[in-house]
Amino acid sequence: MRTPASPQSDSTIHGARLVVNLRAIAANYRKIAALAAPAKTAAAIKADAYGLGLAPVARCLAKAGCEIFFVAHYAEGVALRAVLPGARIYILHGLPDDMADRYIAKRLQPVLNSLAEITTWRKADGQLSGAILNFDTGISRLGMSENEAAKLVAEPGLLAGVRVDFVMSHLSCADEPEHPMNTQQLAAFNILRDLFPGIPASLANTAGIFLGPTYRYDLVRPGIGLYGGSPDGTGNSPFQGAVTLYAKILQLRDIDSKDYVGYGATYRPGGPARIAVAGIGYADGYMRALGNSGFGAIGGHKAPCVGRISMDLCAFDVSSVPDELCGPGGEIELIGPNVPVENVAADAGTINYEILTRLGGRFARSYIGEGADA
Amino acid sequence: MRTPASPQSDSTIHGARLVVNLRAIAANYRKIAALAAPAKTAAAIKADAYGLGLAPVARCLAKAGCEIFFVAHYAEGVALRAVLPGARIYILHGLPDDMADRYIAKRLQPVLNSLAEITTWRKADGQLSGAILNFDTGISRLGMSENEAAKLVAEPGLLAGVRVDFVMSHLSCADEPEHPMNTQQLAAFNILRDLFPGIPASLANTAGIFLGPTYRYDLVRPGIGLYGGSPDGTGNSPFQGAVTLYAKILQLRDIDSKDYVGYGATYRPGGPARIAVAGIGYADGYMRALGNSGFGAIGGHKAPCVGRISMDLCAFDVSSVPDELCGPGGEIELIGPNVPVENVAADAGTINYEILTRLGGRFARSYIGEGADA
């Protein structure tokens, strides 16, 4: 295993660099779209495209055929509109009271989560552009209840003139295929959907798509799978990894059993050891929970993280890495082919989503693959 | 207890807002400077001023009297130079081989961590601007060893023409005043310092300053204390809190004992409960580890975090919060006078530093206090 060549090596001035493979993201999109067809495949691109960069990822997905995008906040919608003037953009977090005119001005479409939001949208826009009606079927987050759905049916005036593109809900346990919540939410969603005959429906995120065709309806909304993440949080992802993270090696130290490494003096080696100090820390999103538990790789050789993670630095035991692969100015892979993001997540006690979305702003970022020059 | 009035309320378009109190940061700087005198007081302003915003914090500290700043990376130094043309700026992460000319062009001064870096600097700059010699006394991170110090003394040519502003080291356990590493590092540093007579010395971070006058030498380098954090990680900080974080309440839900909250169906209430769904999640740095363990406050009333934290959302049990204080469009305090950052850190299993430095880029940010309009 070798470290892939870098298209640009700005880790010198930043301490670390993130390489996003747009070809992998496009391939992952096409794979999901083929699997989900005849359902359409949208893209969840909130949180700066799961930490990978909204603009290049959005352009890449649009080029791969994606026409419908979901973001969380209005501000994210505005940023995405500037990148994709023609895309359909839904705002998951609904429609605040005084925001309808701003949504309309930017052609942003709300996911309506309450009767009050429906009323606001009806008064402001109504016929012009479609909205999504979101119902909560068991995650107790955003969305209307069964009772509110019944009220919408009983009082048709509430929706008079509102163009409804989809009815939707969101699964809470799709990453655990055997979890009873999945079939419960499916049943609850089918009841709701029957209240709105003829209106297309959407339920599945990445993991939901893999629960089978009955979960796919008319529109699927993958996120993590596009970015290479495994639907069930294991390292067995059917998708291509899209992210590699390298940190610069700032210094090598030869230490022995009397020496401690890092804050709190939590680690010392059993005998002579060589430590590489890397220019990345928890301020970069390399989580503090990885101290004494994570690992990196150099030329495919594993290097365990030793001692606590500092704000801007951390240390790896490179005793078993051949000298010629490991020197100041070299790099250590912290996410990539030899260090799956799911392993990083497990070592940090969290999930791949949090690792990706917390990748910091201090990295040098580069994009490879199709659309990288756009 | 009341929620402080907000100077601008852009959480509508972002989901959350961060308010940084520059007056508190200035007061904290002056408090440390008074305590540390006659030692000079620098400021550690790396990692975007510990997540609070490099430019406004730098301007505020300069106005409060700070003349010396420490950042981690060259890129951070460049950003700081643009804000403070006259400040003295040291780069903690040393001097890569090919970077000396770029340092000189921006008047950035390296903390030299190896003999190789000293040689690079001597050849490139030498007399022009001063550097710091950094020695490792027990944290096994960056810096030269005792042997390398001895070599510098034995071969004066190695330093010929290099202007040395300070000799420095860094403490590993200063937040634990009784830890034996503190006196060991102090003793090791005194030996090193005696090798370079007449050259000023620097050892203490915020916590080190509180270990007593013998740790302060000629220059102290506080970070966390400036930003209101407690030196020992407890909530008993001698400093003024500088950060408040509010998330917008997007929706209220009345649920009962049959309902689950959040991904994985990890939480359900014992009986009827009211849940506030807030527009912040782990992508914003509200760490996933806070699920079912953190809390927020509304009008001073505690509201426990229930269920897992989502990427962009999380839920709080607001059953005990009076209705008139809690509605959609309102806000919940997640860091602030009623929710100390040290409590957030403890609930997340980490330290105040990580909470601050991971505050995300999706917030609306505003600055209050002196210099806020600069």
Side-chain angles (χ1 to χ4, degrees):
Chain A
M1 287 183 285
R2 294 191 52 217
T3 304
S6 70
Q8 58 186 83
S9 195
D10 275 349
S11 74
T12 299
I13 66 168
H14 288 279
R17 65 187 174 93
L18 185 74
V19 182
V20 178
N21 185 339
L22 295 174
R23 186 177 296 115
I25 294 174
N28 293 335
Y29 177 81
R30 292 195 195 99
K31 182 169 189 167
I32 294 173
L35 178 68
K40 278 193 182 175
T41 298
I45 199 166
K46 56 204 174 72
D48 198 31
Y50 286 41
L52 306 190
L54 180 71
V57 171
R59 282 191 205 104
C60 157
L61 287 167
K63 211 172 147 192
C66 185
E67 295 170 347
I68 303 176
F69 295 84
F70 285 84
V71 294
H73 301 285
Y74 168 80
E76 294 181 323
V78 172
L80 182 53
R81 174 58 71 217
V83 178
L84 296 180
R88 207 197 293 187
I89 302 172
Y90 292 108
I91 309 294
L92 288 161
H93 284 193
L95 180 68
D97 263 3
D98 52 352
M99 294 289 291
D101 291 345
R102 294 168 79 172
Y103 276 55
I104 292 164
K106 292 287 181 187
R107 289 171 292 119
L108 302 173
Q109 298 172 249
V111 173
L112 298 170
N113 295 312
S114 70
L115 296 179
E117 289 184 359
I118 290 174
T119 300
T120 301
W121 190 243
R122 195 182 70 231
K123 289 181 178 165
D125 183 85
Q127 321 276 356
L128 288 173
S129 59
I132 292 178
L133 301 185
N134 185 31
F135 297 98
D136 192 279
T137 54
I139 194 169
S140 300
R141 243 172 31 170
L142 299 177
M144 291 174 278
S145 66
E146 266 177 64
N147 288 344
E148 288 169 311
K151 192 167 177 183
L152 285 175
V153 173
E155 302 178 33
L158 291 172
L159 275 173
V162 174
R163 236 180 70 199
V164 180
D165 292 340
F166 296 95
V167 293
M168 74 169 253
S169 188
H170 193 70
L171 297 165
S172 68
C173 300
D175 56 341
E176 301 173 60
E178 306 305 321
H179 201 294
M181 282 298 286
N182 293 317
T183 51
Q184 286 174 35
Q185 287 195 267
L186 187 73
F189 187 60
N190 280 330
I191 291 169
L192 287 163
R193 186 176 157 248
D194 289 346
L195 297 177
F196 302 93
I199 296 182
S202 176
L203 178 62
N205 57 3
T206 298
I209 295 164
F210 284 81
L211 294 178
T214 55
Y215 287 82
R216 293 174 198 156
Y217 298 96
D218 304 293
L219 181 76
V220 297
R221 313 184 305 266
I224 194 76
L226 300 173
Y227 312 115
S230 142
D232 62 358
T234 70
N236 301 315
S237 177
F239 302 111
Q240 294 181 33
V243 183
T244 43
L245 174 64
Y246 304 97
K248 189 170 61 158
I249 296 172
L250 299 175
Q251 191 157 17
L252 293 170
R253 310 194 75 79
D254 289 310
I255 62 171
D256 67 32
S257 56
K258 73 175 190 332
D259 295 315
Y260 291 98
V261 179
Y263 280 114
T266 62
Y267 178 83
R268 52 179 169 181
R274 174 163 285 190
I275 300 297
V277 181
I280 191 170
Y282 56 75
D284 301 292
Y286 195 70
M287 291 178 71
R288 191 165 168 277
L290 292 164
N292 289 318
S293 82
F295 68 92
I298 299 176
H301 298 267
K302 257 186 152 177
C305 180
V306 293
R308 288 192 188 150
I309 309 290
S310 299
M311 187 181 295
D312 317 291
L313 293 168
C314 55
F316 297 87
D317 185 329
V318 295
S319 305
S320 67
V321 179
D323 285 357
E324 66 272 19
L325 294 177
C326 185
E331 291 185 320
I332 181 165
E333 173 189 336
L334 298 183
I335 299 175
N338 302 295
V339 190
V341 65
E342 286 77 15
N343 291 37
V344 180
D347 291 338
T350 187
I351 55 177
N352 46 7
Y353 300 71
E354 187 172 30
I355 299 294
L356 290 182
T357 56
R358 292 307 303 145
L359 293 170
R362 278 202 296 190
F363 301 143
R365 283 180 187 223
S366 59
Y367 294 87
I368 59 173
E370 55 194 275
D373 307 322
Chain B
M1 285 181 286
R2 294 190 52 218
T3 303
S6 70
Q8 58 186 82
S9 194
D10 275 348
S11 74
T12 299
I13 66 169
H14 288 278
R17 66 187 173 91
L18 185 74
V19 182
V20 178
N21 185 338
L22 296 174
R23 186 176 297 114
I25 294 174
N28 293 335
Y29 176 81
R30 291 195 196 99
K31 182 169 188 166
I32 294 173
L35 177 68
K40 280 193 181 176
T41 298
I45 198 165
K46 55 204 174 72
D48 199 29
Y50 285 42
L52 306 189
L54 180 72
V57 171
R59 281 190 206 103
C60 157
L61 287 167
K63 211 172 146 192
C66 185
E67 296 170 345
I68 303 176
F69 296 84
F70 286 83
V71 295
H73 302 284
Y74 168 80
E76 294 181 322
V78 172
L80 181 54
R81 174 58 71 216
V83 177
L84 296 180
R88 207 196 295 185
I89 302 171
Y90 292 108
I91 310 293
L92 287 161
H93 284 193
L95 180 68
D97 264 3
D98 51 352
M99 294 289 290
D101 290 345
R102 295 168 79 172
Y103 276 53
I104 292 164
K106 293 287 179 186
R107 288 171 292 119
L108 302 173
Q109 298 172 250
V111 172
L112 299 169
N113 295 311
S114 69
L115 297 179
E117 289 184 358
I118 290 174
T119 300
T120 302
W121 189 243
R122 194 183 70 231
K123 288 181 179 164
D125 182 87
Q127 322 277 356
L128 288 173
S129 58
I132 293 179
L133 302 185
N134 185 31
F135 298 97
D136 192 278
T137 54
I139 193 169
S140 300
R141 241 172 34 169
L142 298 177
M144 290 173 277
S145 65
E146 266 176 66
N147 288 344
E148 288 169 311
K151 193 168 178 184
L152 285 175
V153 174
E155 303 176 33
L158 292 172
L159 274 172
V162 174
R163 235 179 71 200
V164 179
D165 292 340
F166 297 95
V167 293
M168 73 169 254
S169 187
H170 193 69
L171 298 165
S172 69
C173 301
D175 57 340
E176 302 172 60
E178 305 305 319
H179 201 294
M181 282 299 285
N182 293 317
T183 50
Q184 285 174 35
Q185 287 195 267
L186 187 74
F189 186 60
N190 280 331
I191 291 168
L192 287 162
R193 187 178 157 246
D194 288 346
L195 298 177
F196 302 93
I199 295 182
S202 176
L203 178 63
N205 57 3
T206 298
I209 295 164
F210 284 81
L211 294 178
T214 54
Y215 287 83
R216 292 174 198 155
Y217 298 96
D218 304 293
L219 181 76
V220 297
R221 313 184 306 265
I224 193 76
L226 300 173
Y227 312 115
S230 143
D232 62 357
T234 70
N236 300 316
S237 177
F239 301 110
Q240 295 180 34
V243 184
T244 43
L245 173 64
Y246 304 97
K248 190 170 59 159
I249 297 172
L250 300 176
Q251 192 157 18
L252 293 170
R253 310 194 75 80
D254 289 309
I255 62 172
D256 66 32
S257 56
K258 72 175 190 335
D259 295 314
Y260 291 97
V261 178
Y263 281 114
T266 62
Y267 177 83
R268 52 179 170 181
R274 174 163 286 190
I275 300 297
V277 181
I280 191 170
Y282 56 74
D284 302 291
Y286 196 70
M287 291 179 70
R288 190 165 169 276
L290 292 164
N292 289 318
S293 80
F295 68 92
I298 299 176
H301 299 267
K302 256 186 150 176
C305 181
V306 292
R308 288 192 188 151
I309 310 290
S310 299
M311 187 180 295
D312 318 291
L313 293 168
C314 55
F316 296 87
D317 185 329
V318 295
S319 305
S320 68
V321 179
D323 285 358
E324 65 273 20
L325 294 178
C326 184
E331 291 185 320
I332 181 165
E333 174 190 336
L334 298 182
I335 299 175
N338 302 295
V339 190
V341 65
E342 286 77 14
N343 291 37
V344 180
D347 291 339
T350 187
I351 55 176
N352 46 7
Y353 300 72
E354 187 172 29
I355 299 294
L356 291 181
T357 56
R358 289 164 54 91
L359 293 170
R362 278 202 297 191
F363 301 142
R365 282 180 188 223
S366 60
Y367 294 86
I368 59 173
E370 56 194 273
D373 307 322

mmCIF file of all heavy atoms in Angstrom, chain B residues 149-170:
data_model
loop_
_atom_site.group_PDB
_atom_site.id
_atom_site.type_symbol
_atom_site.label_atom_id
_atom_site.label_comp_id
_atom_site.label_asym_id
_atom_site.label_seq_id
_atom_site.Cartn_x
_atom_site.Cartn_y
_atom_site.Cartn_z
ATOM 1 N N ALA B 149 20.376 20.846 23.412
ATOM 2 C CA ALA B 149 20.726 22.100 24.088
ATOM 3 C C ALA B 149 22.227 22.132 24.384
ATOM 4 O O ALA B 149 22.907 23.140 24.153
ATOM 5 C CB ALA B 149 19.916 22.242 25.378
ATOM 6 N N ALA B 150 22.728 21.011 24.883
ATOM 7 C CA ALA B 150 24.160 20.938 25.200
ATOM 8 C C ALA B 150 25.004 21.134 23.941
ATOM 9 O O ALA B 150 26.057 21.784 23.970
ATOM 10 C CB ALA B 150 24.472 19.587 25.853
ATOM 11 N N LYS B 151 24.520 20.598 22.849
ATOM 12 C CA LYS B 151 25.244 20.745 21.580
ATOM 13 C C LYS B 151 25.298 22.217 21.149
ATOM 14 O O LYS B 151 26.322 22.696 20.650
ATOM 15 C CB LYS B 151 24.558 19.898 20.508
ATOM 16 C CG LYS B 151 25.387 19.742 19.268
ATOM 17 C CD LYS B 151 24.852 18.667 18.336
ATOM 18 C CE LYS B 151 25.739 18.633 17.088
ATOM 19 N NZ LYS B 151 25.275 17.698 16.087
ATOM 20 N N LEU B 152 24.188 22.909 21.344
ATOM 21 C CA LEU B 152 24.154 24.338 20.998
ATOM 22 C C LEU B 152 25.187 25.126 21.804
ATOM 23 O O LEU B 152 25.789 26.082 21.307
ATOM 24 C CB LEU B 152 22.763 24.921 21.257
ATOM 25 C CG LEU B 152 21.658 24.561 20.266
ATOM 26 C CD1 LEU B 152 20.317 25.119 20.735
ATOM 27 C CD2 LEU B 152 21.992 25.093 18.872
ATOM 28 N N VAL B 153 25.378 24.713 23.044
ATOM 29 C CA VAL B 153 26.345 25.407 23.897
ATOM 30 C C VAL B 153 27.771 25.030 23.497
ATOM 31 O O VAL B 153 28.661 25.882 23.415
ATOM 32 C CB VAL B 153 26.083 25.060 25.384
ATOM 33 C CG1 VAL B 153 27.173 25.649 26.266
ATOM 34 C CG2 VAL B 153 24.710 25.568 25.809
ATOM 35 N N ALA B 154 27.958 23.758 23.192
ATOM 36 C CA ALA B 154 29.293 23.275 22.842
ATOM 37 C C ALA B 154 29.763 23.802 21.492
ATOM 38 O O ALA B 154 30.960 23.958 21.259
ATOM 39 C CB ALA B 154 29.305 21.737 22.848
ATOM 40 N N GLU B 155 28.819 24.056 20.602
ATOM 41 C CA GLU B 155 29.183 24.537 19.259
ATOM 42 C C GLU B 155 28.499 25.875 18.998
ATOM 43 O O GLU B 155 27.468 25.933 18.335
ATOM 44 C CB GLU B 155 28.760 23.519 18.194
ATOM 45 C CG GLU B 155 29.356 22.134 18.408
ATOM 46 C CD GLU B 155 28.844 21.111 17.388
ATOM 47 O OE1 GLU B 155 28.573 21.494 16.232
ATOM 48 O OE2 GLU B 155 28.688 19.938 17.776
ATOM 49 N N PRO B 156 29.111 26.948 19.509
ATOM 50 C CA PRO B 156 28.451 28.264 19.431
ATOM 51 C C PRO B 156 28.162 28.698 17.995
ATOM 52 O O PRO B 156 27.242 29.491 17.765
ATOM 53 C CB PRO B 156 29.466 29.207 20.082
ATOM 54 C CG PRO B 156 30.373 28.337 20.876
ATOM 55 C CD PRO B 156 30.412 27.014 20.196
ATOM 56 N N GLY B 157 28.877 28.135 17.041
ATOM 57 C CA GLY B 157 28.624 28.491 15.646
ATOM 58 C C GLY B 157 27.210 28.168 15.199
ATOM 59 O O GLY B 157 26.677 28.796 14.281
ATOM 60 N N LEU B 158 26.601 27.166 15.850
ATOM 61 C CA LEU B 158 25.246 26.768 15.458
ATOM 62 C C LEU B 158 24.248 27.910 15.620
ATOM 63 O O LEU B 158 23.270 28.000 14.883
ATOM 64 C CB LEU B 158 24.783 25.560 16.292
ATOM 65 C CG LEU B 158 25.509 24.242 16.029
ATOM 66 C CD1 LEU B 158 25.092 23.186 17.054
ATOM 67 C CD2 LEU B 158 25.211 23.756 14.611
ATOM 68 N N LEU B 159 24.531 28.762 16.620
ATOM 69 C CA LEU B 159 23.609 29.873 16.882
ATOM 70 C C LEU B 159 24.190 31.221 16.443
ATOM 71 O O LEU B 159 23.570 32.262 16.688
ATOM 72 C CB LEU B 159 23.282 29.934 18.380
ATOM 73 C CG LEU B 159 22.137 29.057 18.885
ATOM 74 C CD1 LEU B 159 22.076 29.093 20.406
ATOM 75 C CD2 LEU B 159 20.809 29.504 18.297
ATOM 76 N N ALA B 160 25.368 31.165 15.786
ATOM 77 C CA ALA B 160 26.054 32.424 15.476
ATOM 78 C C ALA B 160 25.157 33.329 14.639
ATOM 79 O O ALA B 160 24.667 32.941 13.580
ATOM 80 C CB ALA B 160 27.354 32.139 14.725
ATOM 81 N N GLY B 161 24.921 34.510 15.149
ATOM 82 C CA GLY B 161 24.122 35.473 14.392
ATOM 83 C C GLY B 161 22.628 35.320 14.553
ATOM 84 O O GLY B 161 21.868 36.131 14.033
ATOM 85 N N VAL B 162 22.197 34.270 15.251
ATOM 86 C CA VAL B 162 20.750 34.107 15.458
ATOM 87 C C VAL B 162 20.323 34.934 16.666
ATOM 88 O O VAL B 162 20.919 34.810 17.749
ATOM 89 C CB VAL B 162 20.384 32.625 15.679
ATOM 90 C CG1 VAL B 162 18.907 32.488 16.046
ATOM 91 C CG2 VAL B 162 20.707 31.805 14.447
ATOM 92 N N ARG B 163 19.361 35.783 16.482
ATOM 93 C CA ARG B 163 18.834 36.544 17.613
ATOM 94 C C ARG B 163 17.809 35.682 18.328
ATOM 95 O O ARG B 163 16.819 35.249 17.729
ATOM 96 C CB ARG B 163 18.144 37.816 17.097
ATOM 97 C CG ARG B 163 18.692 39.093 17.725
ATOM 98 C CD ARG B 163 18.001 40.315 17.182
ATOM 99 N NE ARG B 163 16.631 40.420 17.642
ATOM 100 C CZ ARG B 163 15.698 41.151 17.040
ATOM 101 N NH1 ARG B 163 15.981 41.821 15.943
ATOM 102 N NH2 ARG B 163 14.479 41.211 17.527
ATOM 103 N N VAL B 164 18.074 35.394 19.591
ATOM 104 C CA VAL B 164 17.149 34.549 20.352
ATOM 105 C C VAL B 164 16.364 35.439 21.313
ATOM 106 O O VAL B 164 16.924 36.040 22.229
ATOM 107 C CB VAL B 164 17.899 33.446 21.122
ATOM 108 C CG1 VAL B 164 16.910 32.597 21.911
ATOM 109 C CG2 VAL B 164 18.717 32.579 20.169
ATOM 110 N N ASP B 165 15.065 35.526 21.092
ATOM 111 C CA ASP B 165 14.222 36.362 21.954
ATOM 112 C C ASP B 165 13.933 35.685 23.291
ATOM 113 O O ASP B 165 13.885 36.339 24.328
ATOM 114 C CB ASP B 165 12.887 36.652 21.261
ATOM 115 C CG ASP B 165 13.041 37.554 20.045
ATOM 116 O OD1 ASP B 165 14.072 38.256 19.940
ATOM 117 O OD2 ASP B 165 12.128 37.545 19.198
ATOM 118 N N PHE B 166 13.670 34.385 23.227
ATOM 119 C CA PHE B 166 13.323 33.629 24.434
ATOM 120 C C PHE B 166 13.789 32.190 24.289
ATOM 121 O O PHE B 166 13.872 31.668 23.181
ATOM 122 C CB PHE B 166 11.793 33.569 24.653
ATOM 123 C CG PHE B 166 11.139 34.896 24.892
ATOM 124 C CD1 PHE B 166 10.576 35.600 23.832
ATOM 125 C CD2 PHE B 166 11.075 35.451 26.168
ATOM 126 C CE1 PHE B 166 9.964 36.830 24.036
ATOM 127 C CE2 PHE B 166 10.466 36.684 26.375
ATOM 128 C CZ PHE B 166 9.912 37.374 25.304
ATOM 129 N N VAL B 167 14.082 31.573 25.428
ATOM 130 C CA VAL B 167 14.066 30.111 25.478
ATOM 131 C C VAL B 167 12.739 29.723 26.119
ATOM 132 O O VAL B 167 12.247 30.401 27.028
ATOM 133 C CB VAL B 167 15.249 29.518 26.286
ATOM 134 C CG1 VAL B 167 16.558 29.781 25.563
ATOM 135 C CG2 VAL B 167 15.297 30.087 27.702
ATOM 136 N N MET B 168 12.121 28.671 25.588
ATOM 137 C CA MET B 168 10.810 28.299 26.131
ATOM 138 C C MET B 168 10.656 26.788 26.240
ATOM 139 O O MET B 168 11.431 26.005 25.679
ATOM 140 C CB MET B 168 9.668 28.879 25.284
ATOM 141 C CG MET B 168 9.434 28.229 23.935
ATOM 142 S SD MET B 168 7.841 28.798 23.177
ATOM 143 C CE MET B 168 6.830 27.325 23.409
ATOM 144 N N SER B 169 9.660 26.391 27.013
ATOM 145 C CA SER B 169 9.215 25.008 27.047
ATOM 146 C C SER B 169 7.712 25.028 27.346
ATOM 147 O O SER B 169 7.116 26.108 27.464
ATOM 148 C CB SER B 169 9.981 24.201 28.097
ATOM 149 O OG SER B 169 9.654 22.827 27.997
ATOM 150 N N HIS B 170 7.116 23.849 27.425
ATOM 151 C CA HIS B 170 5.660 23.791 27.618
ATOM 152 C C HIS B 170 5.332 22.725 28.658
ATOM 153 O O HIS B 170 5.870 21.622 28.619
ATOM 154 C CB HIS B 170 4.974 23.472 26.289
ATOM 155 C CG HIS B 170 3.495 23.703 26.307
ATOM 156 N ND1 HIS B 170 2.951 24.966 26.392
ATOM 157 C CD2 HIS B 170 2.455 22.847 26.264
ATOM 158 C CE1 HIS B 170 1.628 24.868 26.405
ATOM 159 N NE2 HIS B 170 1.301 23.601 26.328
#
